[in-house]
Amino acid sequence: MTTTLRWMAAIALLPCLNAQAPPTPQPPKPAEEDLGPVIKVDVDLVNVFFSVRDKKGAYIANLAKEDLEVIEDGKPQEIKFFTRETDLPLTIGLLVDVSGSQGALIEEERSASYKFLAQVLRKKDEAFIISFGVDSELLQDFTNSPGLLRQGLAGLRLNAGVSGMSPTGSPLPGSGRGTVLYEAVWLAAKDKLRSEVGRKALIVITDGNDVGSRVKIEKAIEEAQRSDAIIYSVMFEDPRYTSMAFGGSSGEGPMRRMAEETGGRVFRVDRRNRLEDIYNMIQAEMRSQYAVGYVASNQAKDGTFRKVEIRSRNKDQKVQVRKGYYAPDEGDAKPVKR
């Protein structure tokens, strides 16, 4: 069965997945050299990545543990370790919208994405590429190879269904489904990132309009949080489809929600910021992250959502961090280093 068909088969099961399903086992990766230091995954240890900026938006790179407070569900937590993790292995999922409203933008997405991946990936890092339109397609599985990533990006092509899209980005009569944005995020987090360790990010290039997913945005966000993945939303719009003057709509609200609840940010491609410029901003942020680890005072393994805050004692500094995490259930399996 081809990769595309496997993903389509997975999507077909989505209506039955109202409850959280166990993670899909991943085939073992080929033996590789030692990946170096990683954060030890322990069911009792909560690991959180975050970044800190000043009033002007510049990243703060010289914080100490004593400069921070960690709060879980309103209760202070004792920090067990603190470090700036610029060299921790990084796993990136690149999700590219190839629906009808993005047709004129695909070539720029392809070119800028290759430059970004070639620059950001180091020896111990990996990436995978997914395109999504009326369905999702895994164009390239985990790899560090520039050649394979280029081949994967070469597979970006319009995926708007037989009957195409209307000027507002909605599916035309007879075209079936529209853009499965939330499904793509849900599948990438669950099937690709859940079993990985270290720093994990999803970069989603889209106009933000979802008109076909059988997964709601809440489930997509939940799966990203369960996978400890940060979502960076890149708003890349063709004004012919999103301009209010043409009866279109912007999907920035949902994309901002995805980013903020997972500790990421929203970027917008415009006259001042090209896609390549935004990729450089994302790269700088991912290389400027801190990590804290703490043993939660609430040790119940009940699968509930716990709210997390990290505060700088300097009120002029802003901490960018995910809204929280899901506590493990008694039967949860630990992610393992591959």
Side-chain angles (χ1 to χ4, degrees):
M1 182 181 292
T2 66
T3 299
T4 303
L5 291 177
R6 286 198 299 271
W7 274 62
M8 292 177 68
I11 292 172
L13 295 175
L14 290 175
C16 303
L17 297 179
N18 294 324
Q20 179 63 42
T24 302
Q26 297 293 315
K29 295 183 180 180
E32 296 178 338
E33 62 179 328
D34 182 23
L35 292 180
V38 299
I39 287 182
K40 180 181 179 182
V41 178
D42 192 300
V43 293
D44 298 322
L45 190 66
V46 180
N47 304 301
V48 184
F49 294 97
F50 64 97
S51 56
V52 184
R53 302 195 303 276
D54 62 20
K55 281 186 173 182
K56 297 181 179 179
Y59 292 105
I60 306 297
N62 57 354
L63 290 179
K65 179 173 70 173
E66 294 72 26
D67 298 323
L68 301 164
E69 297 177 281
V70 176
I71 313 293
E72 181 181 301
D73 286 342
K75 299 178 181 179
Q77 306 293 312
E78 180 184 357
I79 298 175
K80 292 297 185 181
F81 75 80
F82 169 84
T83 183
R84 184 179 178 191
E85 293 294 346
T86 57
D87 293 322
L88 195 70
L90 173 66
T91 304
I92 296 175
L94 180 64
L95 278 58
V96 183
D97 189 340
V98 291
S99 62
S101 59
Q102 300 295 99
L105 309 176
I106 290 176
E107 189 53 47
E108 185 174 350
E109 291 171 341
R110 188 191 337 270
S111 175
S113 296
Y114 177 74
K115 290 180 181 178
F116 166 72
L117 292 174
Q119 291 173 358
V120 74
L121 293 181
R122 298 179 181 176
K123 191 173 183 180
K124 301 171 185 177
D125 303 332
E126 289 188 311
F128 62 92
I129 302 168
I130 293 170
S131 67
F132 61 93
V134 297
D135 53 33
S136 301
E137 182 177 2
L138 180 62
L139 300 179
Q140 175 56 55
D141 209 340
F142 293 109
T143 187
N144 185 266
S145 165
L148 291 177
L149 291 169
R150 185 187 291 275
Q151 289 179 28
L153 290 167
L156 292 174
R157 59 186 180 278
L158 191 65
N159 181 3
V162 176
S163 298
M165 307 289 286
S166 72
T168 62
S170 299
L172 291 171
S175 64
R177 304 169 69 195
T179 308
V180 294
L181 166 59
Y182 305 154
E183 279 182 19
V185 172
W186 185 90
L187 285 164
K190 176 180 180 295
D191 287 356
K192 307 308 297 179
L193 292 181
R194 178 77 84 89
S195 61
E196 298 297 307
V197 296
R199 295 182 300 152
K200 295 175 276 189
L202 291 175
I203 300 174
V204 187
I205 307 174
T206 180
D207 59 16
N209 288 308
D210 183 299
V211 289
S213 287
R214 289 174 248 180
V215 167
K216 294 185 180 297
I217 188 173
E218 291 81 7
K219 293 298 290 183
I221 292 171
E222 176 183 332
E223 197 55 53
Q225 290 169 332
R226 289 186 183 277
S227 300
D228 296 333
I230 297 173
I231 296 177
Y232 293 99
S233 302
V234 180
M235 299 298 299
F236 196 14
E237 302 172 339
D238 184 336
R240 295 175 300 171
Y241 291 87
T242 58
S243 172
M244 297 301 292
F246 291 92
S249 61
S250 173
E252 183 168 348
M255 297 311 298
R256 186 170 298 281
R257 179 181 174 188
M258 278 190 176
E260 291 179 352
E261 293 196 23
T262 60
R265 293 176 63 194
V266 174
F267 300 88
R268 176 174 287 277
V269 179
D270 53 28
R271 293 180 179 178
R272 292 180 299 175
N273 297 298
R274 301 171 303 160
L275 180 57
E276 189 171 340
D277 298 327
I278 289 172
Y279 273 147
N280 289 335
M281 296 179 202
I282 294 174
Q283 178 179 186
E285 179 162 313
M286 289 192 298
R287 297 301 180 192
S288 303
Q289 289 177 322
Y290 294 95
V292 294
Y294 66 94
V295 177
S297 56
N298 181 358
Q299 284 290 291
K301 296 179 176 62
D302 54 10
T304 59
F305 185 76
R306 314 282 174 81
K307 294 182 180 179
V308 173
E309 293 180 78
I310 297 180
R311 302 171 184 169
S312 171
R313 300 185 190 277
N314 184 336
K315 302 305 180 183
D316 291 333
Q317 296 175 346
K318 181 180 179 180
V319 178
Q320 180 182 317
V321 65
R322 60 180 171 164
K323 300 297 185 183
Y325 72 99
Y326 284 87
D329 286 320
E330 287 290 351
D332 278 354
K334 299 180 186 179
V336 295
K337 177 181 172 183
R338 296 182 183 278

